Amino acid sequence: SLLPPFLALLCLGPALPSSPRRSGAEEEAAAEEPWCPYKVGTEGAAGGRLCFRTPARGFQCTARTCRAHRSPGGAFVANVLLNGSVLLQWGPPRPSAGLRGFSLNCSWDGTYTRFPCDSVELGAACRDYLLPEAHGSVRYRLCLQPRYAPPRPAPPAQCVEFRLEPAAMRDIVVAMTAVGGSICVMLVFICLLVAYITENLMNPVSAGAAGVAAP
């Protein structure tokens, strides 16, 4: 009888096709996390509270809004914004297998010595970090170090140095710009007022004087 084989075919069904193998770029995009975990540790203090931030994907530095400073290798970029904050960006390191995260070390030059800033431990999915406030007239040095699981050694750190424009200087420039605009508006108003007085007040007087002298 053909009934048992027919029932078996209905129960098992046709063989399912194997799922297509994704490329390395698709797997990397799928592995990206929507949040960047990080810890900030003050110099001399152990540990730190775990925090999360939203990555600034798609950010591009334009000449009118910020100034970009790159590391010698070009993989680490410090975007100095006009409001005094600094957005750090970096690409995925190679190789990516065994990557545990990143260590961000900060220091700045004083009068006679170099002072350390807060160190940051970032997750493997992080590709940027924001320094909300940086001091003006200070030369910063930031180094990003990828961390791998042993026994893979850590590659050399990418470092970038930059100096912020003093906040007082930015305020002076903004104030001078505002004052200059106000002065220009006042000069235009004065010129229009003088032209109005010359046209409407001086001409009738001259016409009247000419009419009296005519007889």
Side-chain angles (χ1 to χ4, degrees):
S1 175
L2 298 177
L3 184 58
F6 181 71
L7 293 176
L9 181 61
L10 290 177
C11 294
L12 296 178
L16 297 176
S18 59
S19 59
R21 180 175 298 178
R22 294 183 300 180
S23 62
E26 292 177 349
E27 292 180 355
E28 183 177 351
E32 287 187 354
E33 299 178 4
W35 298 98
C36 170
Y38 67 95
K39 286 184 178 182
V40 179
T42 307
E43 183 68 17
R49 187 177 64 177
L50 180 62
C51 302
F52 296 88
R53 64 179 302 270
T54 304
R57 294 190 179 97
F59 174 83
Q60 293 183 354
C61 181
T62 59
R64 297 184 59 183
T65 58
C66 72
R67 180 175 298 178
H69 302 268
R70 297 182 177 274
S71 62
F76 187 36
V77 184
N79 301 297
V80 181
L81 307 178
L82 293 180
N83 59 0
S85 60
V86 181
L87 179 63
L88 307 173
Q89 292 179 312
W90 60 90
R94 293 291 183 268
S96 59
L99 180 65
R100 285 188 171 181
F102 303 91
S103 297
L104 180 63
N105 297 318
C106 172
S107 61
W108 56 276
D109 288 333
T111 305
Y112 300 102
T113 184
R114 181 180 291 272
F115 294 92
C117 313
D118 294 342
S119 60
V120 185
E121 299 291 332
L122 301 111
C126 299
R127 295 295 179 267
D128 55 41
Y129 182 73
L130 180 66
L131 295 177
E133 294 182 359
H135 300 284
S137 301
V138 174
R139 185 170 185 83
Y140 281 87
R141 177 179 174 85
L142 299 171
C143 295
L144 184 72
Q145 177 73 56
R147 297 186 295 108
Y148 287 91
R152 184 184 296 275
Q158 293 282 338
C159 297
V160 61
E161 295 186 4
F162 59 90
R163 183 185 298 273
L164 268 71
E165 182 182 350
M169 183 61 66
R170 292 197 303 267
D171 296 340
I172 291 174
V173 171
V174 172
M176 291 180 64
T177 303
V179 171
S182 301
I183 292 175
C184 291
V185 172
M186 292 178 62
L187 289 177
V188 171
F189 179 76
I190 291 173
C191 292
L192 293 176
L193 183 60
V194 170
Y196 175 80
I197 293 174
T198 304
E199 183 71 19
N200 297 286
L201 297 182
M202 300 299 293
N203 289 343
V205 175
S206 299
V212 173

